[in-house]
């Protein structure tokens, strides 16, 4: 019942559903933790910038839940796999997205849209653009305000044990918790990230095939970011196995060298793009967003 309500809300809310009159490829947005689809100073502002730069374009900012309060809550509490499934169903029923779309994921919305690209049948995602995404997960939860009761509870639960079944199944941040000190436990107990990275012993070849259908996979890293630990996760890097000090680049990881997801093949084909901005988490200028993102990866060639 709950998932039916969530899906109804995704279909009904979160952006303009008037048909676009632009021939430009539509855009789908998924917000991050602590945000909602429609705040005018965050995703609402992003949506407006895209629409002003590309008149008539169809842009939908996803709302998970029955209203923006629930939408924010579902960024903390719930099951990421169920939310991805519901978004897959939404895409399949939105006529504006049937012929393809670009996807923009902000913070944890980045790895959720990566899951959409890997898992959703018949989805035509052209470019995936992640901003500060925890693409290889996190091993720490900084910058979650001490006076925020939800953040305090999340930190407490993660410190107790992110891989305890009831925490994994109900706490979004635990589902992309990546413990480099015990990778066997990670592979066994992680219900979302281990599957997303194809890190389990039995690989899902469909994930690799689907991800390689992308025309471009653009990863934006914020060079002053203190929110994502390790920061290199924004470019798909992570701690070397067995410790939490030395960080490997994507190209040095087993994920890449054994090509679990086809990322090596994509890199060799010129499909991977590693962009950066000299700012804190998700802090970038409008000019940079327009020139580096919209003009290069969203505005269709004439």
């Amino acid at each position: 019942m709950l998932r039916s309500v969530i899906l109804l809300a995704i279909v009904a809310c979160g952006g303009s559903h008037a048909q676009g009159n632009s021939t430009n490829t539509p855009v789908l947005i998924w917000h991050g933790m602590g945000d909602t689809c429609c705040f005018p100073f965050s995703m609402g502002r992003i949506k407006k910038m895209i629409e002003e730069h590309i008149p008539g374009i169809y842009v939908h900012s996803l709302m998970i839940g029955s209203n923006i309060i629930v939408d924010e809550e579902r960024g903390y509490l719930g099951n990421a796999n169920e939310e991805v499934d519901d978004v897959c169903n939404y895409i399949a029923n939105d006529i504006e997205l049937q012929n393809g779309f670009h996807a923009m994921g902000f913070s944890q919305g980045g790895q959720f849209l990566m899951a959409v690209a890997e898992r959703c049948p018949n989805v035509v995602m052209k470019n995936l653009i992640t901003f500060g995404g925890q693409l290889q997960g996190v091993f720490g939860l900084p910058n979650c305000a001490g006076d925020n009761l939800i953040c305090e509870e999340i930190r407490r639960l993660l410190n107790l044990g992110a891989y305890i079944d009831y925490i994994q199944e109900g706490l979004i941040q635990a589902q992309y918790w990546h413990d480099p000190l015990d990778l066997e436990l990670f592979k066994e107990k992680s219900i979302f990230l281990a599957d997303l990275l194809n890190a389990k012993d039995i690989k899902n070849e469909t994930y690799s095939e689907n991800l390689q259908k992308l025309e471009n996979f653009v990863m934006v890293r914020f060079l002053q970011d203190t929110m994502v630990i390790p920061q290199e996760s924004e470019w798909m890097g992570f701690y070397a196995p067995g410790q939490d000090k030395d960080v490997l680049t994507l190209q040095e990881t087993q994920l890449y060298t054994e090509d679990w997801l086809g990322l090596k093949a994509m890199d060799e084909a010129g499909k991977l793009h590693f962009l950066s901005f000299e700012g804190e988490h998700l802090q970038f200028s409008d000019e940079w967003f327009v020139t580096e993102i919209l003009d290069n990866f969203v505005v269709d060639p004439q």
Side-chain angles (χ1 to χ4, degrees):
M1 177 64 180
L2 176 59
R3 290 186 64 193
S4 297
V5 171
I6 292 171
L7 180 57
L8 177 62
I10 293 173
V11 173
C13 305
S16 171
H17 281 264
Q19 290 191 349
N21 57 15
S22 171
T23 59
N24 204 92
T25 300
V27 173
L28 184 70
I29 298 171
W30 199 330
H31 65 78
M33 178 183 75
D35 201 358
T36 77
C37 65
C38 310
F39 284 149
F41 51 82
S42 59
M43 295 303 100
R45 177 170 162 271
I46 295 296
K47 182 175 182 291
K48 183 179 180 181
M49 273 199 290
I50 298 171
E51 291 170 337
E52 288 180 346
H53 191 65
I54 312 171
I57 190 174
Y58 177 81
V59 183
H60 182 79
S61 182
L62 291 162
M63 181 167 74
I64 312 296
S66 56
N67 54 58
I68 61 171
I69 296 174
V70 177
D71 187 23
E72 181 176 1
E73 180 182 89
R74 296 294 291 182
Y76 295 104
L77 305 174
N79 185 302
N81 295 308
E82 293 180 0
E83 293 184 8
V84 168
D85 286 346
D86 288 336
V87 169
C88 290
N89 290 332
Y90 165 72
I91 294 170
N93 288 282
D94 187 337
I95 193 171
E96 295 285 345
L97 303 177
Q98 299 305 297
N99 294 322
F101 60 93
H102 301 310
M104 290 186 183
F106 292 81
S107 197
Q108 69 184 22
Q111 53 264 36
F112 297 162
L113 282 171
M114 182 175 163
V116 169
E118 291 180 18
R119 297 177 179 175
C120 297
N122 304 317
V123 161
V124 186
M125 185 185 294
K126 295 188 175 183
N127 291 337
L128 171 59
I129 308 167
T130 63
F131 299 83
Q134 299 89 4
L135 303 177
Q136 275 251 46
V138 296
F139 193 55
L141 191 71
N143 284 7
C144 207
D147 58 352
N148 186 312
L149 295 179
I150 294 178
C151 288
E152 282 300 296
E153 183 65 7
I154 290 171
R155 183 182 290 113
R156 185 183 73 83
L157 292 173
L158 289 175
N159 286 339
L160 284 173
Y163 299 132
I164 296 172
D165 289 347
Y166 78 89
I167 296 177
Q168 267 293 302
E169 292 166 4
L171 188 61
I172 294 292
Q173 285 68 43
Q175 292 157 31
Y176 56 85
W177 188 259
H178 189 171
D179 186 348
L181 307 179
D182 195 340
L183 292 177
E184 290 305 313
L185 183 64
F186 167 68
K187 289 194 294 183
E188 178 186 354
K189 292 294 187 178
S190 171
I191 67 170
F192 175 72
L193 185 67
D195 181 70
L196 179 72
L197 297 177
N198 231 355
K200 296 181 182 291
D201 293 335
I202 299 177
K203 308 303 181 189
N204 188 328
E205 296 301 325
T206 302
Y207 287 1
S208 175
E209 293 169 3
N210 287 342
L211 198 61
Q212 290 183 74
K213 292 176 183 177
L214 290 172
E215 295 175 9
N216 294 286
F217 184 178
V218 183
M219 293 166 269
V220 178
R221 175 179 173 183
F222 295 92
L223 299 180
Q224 303 302 319
D225 201 324
T226 57
M227 182 90 173
V228 178
I229 305 295
Q231 186 190 105
E232 289 82 358
S233 183
E234 299 175 16
W235 277 356
M236 292 287 287
F238 204 69
Y239 293 116
Q243 51 83 58
D244 61 356
K245 302 298 181 185
D246 298 327
V247 180
L248 303 178
T249 66
L250 167 63
Q251 289 78 6
E252 295 171 320
T253 65
Q254 194 175 8
L255 166 68
Y256 184 93
T257 59
E258 296 184 4
D259 216 7
W260 296 347
L261 283 174
L263 292 171
K264 182 178 181 181
M266 293 176 70
D267 197 13
E268 292 172 348
K271 291 185 174 184
L272 298 188
H273 305 268
F274 302 90
L275 304 187
S276 64
F277 190 84
E278 195 71 39
E280 249 290 0
H281 191 64
L282 301 186
Q283 300 299 307
F284 53 84
S285 69
D286 294 1
E287 180 182 9
W288 177 87
F289 180 73
V290 169
T291 58
E292 297 298 325
I293 302 298
L294 297 187
D295 287 346
N296 288 331
F297 300 104
V298 179
V299 175
D300 288 345
Q302 299 299 313

